[in-house]
Amino acid sequence: MIRPHSWFALMDSTSASRSTSLIYVVFASSGLILLACSGGKNQRPADTHSTAAPSIATAQTLPPAQGKTPCAATGQWSDCTVFQALDRAGLAPRRDSVAGAIALAPLTQSGTRLLLGNSEIDVFVYTDAAARERDEARLDRTKFIEATDEPTLRGEPTLIRNVNLLAVLRSRSDHQRERVSDALSAGPPQHGGASSLPQTKVPR
């Protein structure tokens, strides 16, 4: 038999135990909710930063396309228009970054070297055609051949000139010599971006 005061004591302890359990559940639930909320807030900026960073890095490391920017059409040759003419002819020119400025005695004008497969071409650009002619006159012509000449066993370089351009091509391929000569003998880009064509007379 349970005494009255013992019964009340038992009820009090049971109620206290239930209250303690309820408080623990409430605090535990609140802790989970706070943890979930704080985790979501901290994760979003990290995801946004990690997604944006590679895109910025990729944009900065992309190199510009070489030889695709149109050159200025002035009616005179420049290093840019020479490179573009050879590129459009399908000769795949490459700049020789090791050679630096080219000096060919007795020329007074320094040049630039381009690589065409296993061949190379030295390009000398002058202010005008008269300056090119004066400097070209210094060369010993017996050491060079024209694009239309047959190469000899000495392997002379091919001399190509047009307006203010003087080029020295070192190639043993007749087909390549012809292609390079055709590409550079066509003339530099004229004002307006296109070469002027001769007028055709229509008979009446």
Side-chain angles (χ1 to χ4, degrees), residues 114-155:
L114 301 177
L115 303 178
L116 307 174
N118 296 327
S119 305
E120 60 187 28
I121 181 171
D122 294 338
V123 177
F124 301 90
V125 177
Y126 295 85
T127 55
D128 51 37
R132 186 267 302 167
E133 291 173 356
R134 287 193 300 268
D135 217 21
E136 183 184 351
R138 302 170 182 269
L139 293 175
D140 183 357
R141 298 298 299 273
T142 62
K143 296 181 179 180
F144 302 90
I145 60 174
E146 300 293 329
T148 55
D149 295 340
E150 291 291 335
T152 68
L153 295 177
R154 292 182 298 175

Side-chain angles (χ1 to χ4, degrees), residues 63-201:
Q66 183 181 13
K68 302 303 180 183
T69 304
C71 305
T74 62
Q76 298 284 330
W77 285 105
S78 65
D79 288 340
C80 177
T81 52
V82 172
F83 187 95
Q84 191 172 74
L86 297 174
D87 186 49
R88 288 178 175 176
L91 293 163
R94 314 186 308 278
R95 298 188 187 278
D96 190 348
S97 58
V98 179
I102 299 299
L104 179 61
L107 297 180
T108 59
Q109 176 71 34
S110 61
T112 304
R113 177 164 295 173
L114 301 177
L115 303 178
L116 307 174
N118 296 327
S119 305
E120 60 187 28
I121 181 171
D122 294 338
V123 177
F124 301 90
V125 177
Y126 295 85
T127 55
D128 51 37
R132 186 267 302 167
E133 291 173 356
R134 287 193 300 268
D135 217 21
E136 183 184 351
R138 302 170 182 269
L139 293 175
D140 183 357
R141 298 298 299 273
T142 62
K143 296 181 179 180
F144 302 90
I145 60 174
E146 300 293 329
T148 55
D149 295 340
E150 291 291 335
T152 68
L153 295 177
R154 292 182 298 175
E156 300 93 339
T158 303
L159 201 61
I160 304 172
R161 87 274 295 156
N162 183 266
V163 193
N164 63 318
L165 169 66
L166 183 65
V168 179
L169 173 65
R170 296 175 180 85
S171 174
R172 302 304 295 262
S173 171
D174 292 342
H175 181 60
Q176 187 180 56
R177 292 170 59 240
E178 181 181 2
R179 292 177 64 191
V180 173
S181 177
D182 290 345
L184 299 182
S185 298
Q190 301 299 313
H191 294 280
S195 301
S196 59
L197 299 177
Q199 295 181 354
T200 302
K201 295 182 179 180

